[in-house]
Amino acid sequence: MDRATIRRDCTEAYDLAFNSVDTGLEPPTAQVDRLRDALSGHVRRLADAVSEEVADAAPGPLRDIVTKALGLAQDALAQPAQGGALDLLVLPQVARILLVMHEEPEMFGASPELPDLLADAWGPADAG
């Protein structure tokens, strides 16, 4: 997952949407469509990754935050396109939230990934 591309697309979409709201001018449809499609893909992949990463998290307030963020992602993806800059207001924020959860899953209750330090020390399972 290319985090720099996700961040760049989020910034571009959010700036474009707010510029449109400020000026009252709609951006080119092709640009809105491209960003909406890119952000939808980012949100889907991030939601899948976060869901997998925190699957073993214990119930509690942090797990509840993840569950709500994943629900927000589903809701945002289910919204029909409005065909303008308003399509770009929600997805960047959802992508940013999920990106933080993906980058720091332990903060949200996921078990840390620990290397199996003894796997090589013992050798093959059938030896000995």
Side-chain angles (χ1 to χ4, degrees):
M1 197 169 313
D2 184 0
R3 294 173 181 142
T5 299
I6 294 170
R7 287 186 177 96
R8 185 194 70 232
D9 289 347
C10 287
T11 299
E12 182 182 353
Y14 199 70
D15 290 348
L16 188 68
F18 268 94
N19 185 45
S20 176
V21 169
D22 282 345
T23 65
L25 302 173
E26 281 293 326
T29 303
Q31 188 176 18
V32 171
D33 292 346
R34 178 186 60 79
L35 286 167
R36 184 183 54 244
D37 291 346
L39 289 167
S40 294
H42 297 325
V43 168
R44 278 188 196 90
R45 286 186 298 280
L46 285 165
D48 289 346
V50 167
S51 182
E52 184 178 314
E53 290 163 351
V54 299
D56 65 344
L62 294 176
R63 176 59 191 252
D64 292 345
I65 291 171
V66 173
T67 301
K68 289 175 184 175
L70 292 172
L72 179 61
Q74 289 176 341
D75 291 347
L77 291 170
Q79 292 300 314
Q82 302 296 316
L86 292 178
D87 290 342
L88 304 177
L89 287 174
V90 175
L91 286 173
Q93 305 316 314
V94 175
R96 286 179 172 136
I97 291 167
L98 292 173
L99 187 57
V100 169
M101 292 178 171
H102 173 63
E103 290 176 334
E104 301 292 338
E106 296 86 9
M107 288 178 51
F108 298 94
S111 298
E113 290 292 322
L114 299 175
D116 190 354
L117 300 175
L118 297 178
D120 292 330
W122 291 102
D126 59 5

